[in-house]
Amino acid sequence: QCLLSGSWRSNTGCRMVVSVLGKDGSFSGSYLPGPAAGNSEILTSPLEGSQQDVELVPQPTFSFTVHWRLQARTTAFLGQCYVGTNGEETLHALWLLREATDSPAEDWKATR
């Protein structure tokens, strides 16, 4: 069963902690980038998201956003939780990072 509550660590050292998991699949918590982010000024930032009902889908999809503190950035994550044959839960996700720009002319470089 894939329940996102708890602490998760990525292969790059990022850490996600889901502290509140609602009955409707909504969740909130915090996100801290790992050393690969290369910026020691980045603080733990809040996250909000939701996942599919695990009683309907045993390996549910999920999404969440991180609003970075002290930076004009938001990252959206979209993925799925898998349960391996050994019972271990693994998250696979894609992400998009959006930075604020000063003008529409700079829009092209705002999304990674």
Side-chain angles (χ1 to χ4, degrees), residues 42-95:
I42 298 177
L43 304 173
T44 299
S45 297
L47 66 83
E48 298 282 334
S50 65
Q51 75 171 62
Q52 286 179 303
D53 187 338
V54 294
E55 293 189 23
L56 298 176
V57 182
Q59 299 187 109
T61 61
F62 63 88
S63 64
F64 65 92
T65 56
V66 175
H67 299 284
W68 299 103
R69 291 195 178 162
L70 306 179
Q71 296 183 351
R73 295 179 173 179
T74 298
T75 303
F77 292 81
L78 180 65
Q80 186 169 356
C81 183
Y82 293 99
V83 180
T85 55
N86 61 357
E88 184 175 318
E89 298 170 337
T90 304
L91 304 181
H92 289 239
L94 298 172
W95 57 269

Side-chain angles (χ1 to χ4, degrees), residues 28-49:
S28 61
S30 59
Y31 191 90
L32 180 64
N39 187 345
S40 61
E41 295 178 13
I42 298 177
L43 304 173
T44 299
S45 297
L47 66 83
E48 298 282 334

